[in-house]
Amino acid sequence: MVIRQDVSLRNYNTFGIEVKASNMALVDQESDLSAILQNEAVDYRSILVLGGGSNILFSGDYQGMVLKNNILGRELLKEDSEYVWIRLGAGENWHRVVLWAIEQGWGGIENLSLIPGTMGAAPMQNIGAYGVEICSVFESLEAVELATGKLHKFTAAACDFGYRYSAFKGPFKGQFMITRVILRLRKQPIVNISYGAVAQTLEQMGVKQPTIRDISKAIIRIREQKLPDPEKIGNAGSFFKNPTIDREFYQTLKTEYTNIPSYPINDNLVKIPAAWLIEQCQWKGFRKGPIGVHKNQALVLVNHGGAQGPDLVQLSQEIQASVTSRFGIDLVPEVNIV
Ligand code: FAD
Ligand code: EPU
């Protein structure tokens, strides 16, 4: 295992920001990680674990050790009449895992098709799309504690999953490298078409009784229309989380903004699409040199080529300020700013 110095991270983040890491190593197996943690020249506190770099914004060079997770492996651990339990290397490409599960006829993650990145990062923010979050099929994960090199197992309860949240973004932030994830998938899939756009797209496709493969195809079609392909235009998906507000506050806003979209969370809380708030503040399609806001999705900040991290951070702050000033709602970044 080789530790390289002054490595360009340009091809390791989907925003395509040109920054350097002081040190970088590829972790192909757990023993590579042990070797790094035993190396006295490495300060474990300086480690940044990187998957596909699709949810990260570098605001400058990284003065530390970047560990690119390449741990592979797909194992069928056990099965019963209803479920299979599969153990996946954290470096596996997420979308390829989804396609593989569909190929086997195992259901539960087809709604999460085409989300970029790795298996290991998926529980990190409890990835979600089109009515499903990974926590619904999550069994447990294995992670190595960077301070001690010890392997720990985390159940779903220990991960404390929430909307775009897990304990790995909270109290455990920066302390572990997730190495393996165990998912529990259904042998007789139950399809989920609760998200309006999915049902509409299936109808356009002429599908009446969708299989998990049809769901995946429909979602790929929707995503390709709405979201920019990071291969063509730098981005990290939704830059902010969708905010949740009190129902009472929502009713007040609705008197002024009668067309404000909303999704009820419970009797007291309502989720508002951040994209709508940003669009109302006239940011959609905004461009200043290489940075901007995507023309089809106001929640996606983009690098048209050659952008610097701090300029994108500044743009994100200007967007936050205008949404706060107009609506009294504070947007919180979903992307990890480093
Ligand atoms: P990275 O960006 O490499 O890392 C993200 C964070 O996790 C960092 O803090 C990193 O340090 C940490 N991390 C990564 N791997 C590990 C590990 N093994 N152990 C410990 N920490 C780790 N997300 C959604 O939830 N839903 C969507 O619909 C969605 N759509 C997207 C569409 C586009 C076009 C893009 C570019 C992104 C989208 N995302 C979406 C965001 C992103 O794809 C996910 O968050 C994904 O899980 C990130 O995976 P990654 O491997 O690229 O993580
Ligand atoms: N909208 C606008 N303007 C826009 C885009 C959307 O007003 O430019 C409004 C519309 O009212 C639309 C609503 O926002 O109905 C929701 O839009 P969309 O279905 O595109 O979803 P989103 O809320 O913007 C969320 C996730 C996505 C996920 C999709 C589908 C967050 C922060 N984002 O986006 O996740 O793919 O739903 O489930 O929750 C990501 O996390 O990176 C990501 C892309």
Side-chain angles (χ1 to χ4, degrees):
M1 196 240 344
V2 181
I3 298 179
R4 290 183 294 150
Q5 271 82 45
D6 284 330
V7 183
S8 166
L9 295 176
R10 163 86 180 72
N11 294 326
Y12 292 100
N13 72 98
T14 61
F15 257 124
I17 304 291
E18 179 62 274
V19 285
K20 281 189 173 152
S22 313
N23 298 288
M24 182 171 187
L26 306 182
V27 174
D28 293 326
Q29 50 216 345
E30 282 86 340
S31 57
D32 292 340
L33 180 57
S34 303
I36 289 165
L37 297 177
Q38 280 161 21
N39 182 336
E40 283 176 6
V42 175
D43 177 359
Y44 75 87
R45 289 165 300 191
S46 80
I47 290 175
L48 172 74
V49 181
L50 201 57
S54 64
N55 205 20
I56 204 156
L57 173 58
F58 287 102
S59 58
D61 289 341
Y62 188 72
Q63 316 287 352
M65 166 71 81
V66 170
L67 296 183
K68 168 81 176 85
N69 185 348
N70 278 350
I71 299 175
L72 301 180
R74 299 174 190 171
E75 289 166 69
L76 174 59
L77 278 187
K78 61 171 183 174
E79 60 186 306
D80 65 14
S81 57
E82 270 186 273
Y83 296 104
V84 290
W85 283 260
I86 51 172
R87 181 169 176 258
L88 300 147
E92 288 280 340
N93 172 279
W94 171 254
H95 180 57
R96 273 187 239 131
V97 168
V98 173
L99 295 181
W100 173 72
I102 292 170
E103 198 69 18
Q104 314 300 313
W106 300 333
I109 50 177
E110 56 284 354
N111 290 50
L112 304 175
S113 293
L114 212 62
I115 296 181
T118 55
M119 179 68 253
M124 204 39 218
Q125 74 152 5
N126 183 23
I127 54 167
Y130 302 100
V132 172
E133 289 178 326
I134 196 171
C135 63
S136 64
V137 296
F138 180 91
E139 178 75 16
S140 62
L141 64 76
E142 296 163 27
V144 172
E145 190 175 12
L146 300 175
T148 61
K150 280 197 184 134
L151 185 68
H152 293 247
K153 198 163 178 173
F154 292 85
T155 59
C159 292
D160 190 24
F161 291 119
Y163 164 61
R164 296 297 190 272
Y165 177 81
S166 79
F168 296 95
K169 273 188 112 172
F172 304 153
K173 193 175 158 80
Q175 293 177 35
F176 291 90
M177 175 162 177
I178 297 167
T179 50
R180 309 266 166 189
V181 181
I182 297 169
L183 302 180
R184 191 186 63 158
L185 302 180
R186 278 187 183 275
K187 288 163 100 172
Q188 287 87 35
I190 299 172
V191 296
N192 177 339
I193 53 166
S194 58
Y195 208 92
V198 178
Q200 281 163 22
T201 306
L202 286 165
E203 205 175 304
Q204 285 161 15
M205 287 162 60
V207 177
K208 293 212 165 59
Q209 288 189 321
T211 60
I212 51 175
R213 194 182 299 270
D214 296 324
I215 301 273
S216 173
K217 280 189 186 154
I219 283 168
I220 290 172
R221 194 188 275 202
I222 299 169
R223 295 183 70 99
E224 283 177 342
Q225 281 163 8
K226 278 193 184 171
L227 292 163
D229 177 356
E231 294 285 324
K232 299 188 184 129
I233 176 164
N235 77 94
S238 301
F239 197 90
F240 302 102
K241 296 187 202 182
N242 285 328
T244 298
I245 60 172
D246 287 344
R247 188 168 289 277
E248 219 173 287
F249 180 35
Y250 163 71
Q251 294 299 352
T252 316
L253 283 176
K254 194 154 172 65
T255 53
E256 192 174 347
Y257 305 98
T258 49
N259 62 344
I260 186 169
S262 64
Y263 310 96
I265 302 282
N266 56 36
D267 287 351
N268 304 320
L269 297 172
V270 174
K271 198 178 264 188
I272 309 290
W276 185 85
L277 298 167
I278 296 168
E279 185 171 343
Q280 296 306 301
C281 295
Q282 313 298 324
W283 287 107
K284 194 168 176 174
F286 169 87
R287 181 163 181 176
K288 185 177 169 196
I291 63 171
V293 176
H294 194 247
K295 60 180 175 28
N296 299 336
Q297 230 303 353
L299 196 45
V300 179
L301 270 54
V302 294
N303 171 14
H304 291 283
Q308 304 286 317
D311 294 337
L312 277 163
V313 173
Q314 195 188 332
L315 173 60
S316 75
Q317 289 166 348
E318 286 171 19
I319 291 171
Q320 282 172 308
S322 60
V323 169
T324 301
S325 150
R326 175 144 178 207
F327 295 101
I329 296 177
D330 296 331
L331 294 182
V332 175
E334 176 198 297
V335 169
N336 301 277
I337 301 170
V338 177

